[in-house]
Amino acid sequence: PLPYRHLVASYCTFCGACTRLCPAQCLQIKSEEDESQSLYYDSTRCLQCNLCQDVCLQKQLYWGDRLSISQFLNTASAPLAT
């Protein structure tokens, strides 16, 4: 496994605190066609600085398992929460 990890969001209110403060801009809130929102995470840009976890008002962001090489190469931007 690589030193990169999955970021897990068990609950999200889409307040945007993590997206605004992420120095690598690897978190984005996107509006879907059905007007719902999703939080997206790009593991290839993440610095693992933990700012997103520190500022999460719900304290629901945490590190998951380490990424394998194939997972790292195939997860450019994946939804964390919908």
Side-chain angles (χ1 to χ4, degrees), residues 44-80:
T44 63
R45 300 177 72 174
C46 184
L47 303 173
Q48 297 185 19
C49 65
N50 297 326
L51 275 175
C52 58
Q53 295 173 1
D54 294 342
V55 301
C56 179
L57 299 174
Q58 304 302 317
K59 301 299 181 202
Q60 297 296 314
L61 284 174
Y62 56 92
W63 294 116
D65 295 332
R66 293 190 183 277
L67 296 170
S68 67
I69 292 172
S70 62
Q71 290 171 321
F72 180 75
L73 295 174
N74 293 318
T75 58
S77 184
L80 288 181

Side-chain angles (χ1 to χ4, degrees), residues 3-71:
Y4 304 100
R5 294 183 175 270
H6 285 287
L7 185 63
V8 179
S10 56
Y11 178 73
C12 184
T13 61
F14 306 104
C15 69
C18 60
T19 61
R20 287 191 298 276
L21 292 175
C22 177
Q25 299 178 340
C26 64
L27 292 165
Q28 289 183 353
I29 295 175
K30 295 181 182 179
S31 296
E32 306 295 342
E33 290 181 14
D34 64 357
E35 297 183 17
S36 65
Q37 292 182 313
S38 296
L39 177 64
Y40 281 82
Y41 167 64
D42 185 346
S43 61
T44 63
R45 300 177 72 174
C46 184
L47 303 173
Q48 297 185 19
C49 65
N50 297 326
L51 275 175
C52 58
Q53 295 173 1
D54 294 342
V55 301
C56 179
L57 299 174
Q58 304 302 317
K59 301 299 181 202
Q60 297 296 314
L61 284 174
Y62 56 92
W63 294 116
D65 295 332
R66 293 190 183 277
L67 296 170
S68 67
I69 292 172
S70 62
Q71 290 171 321

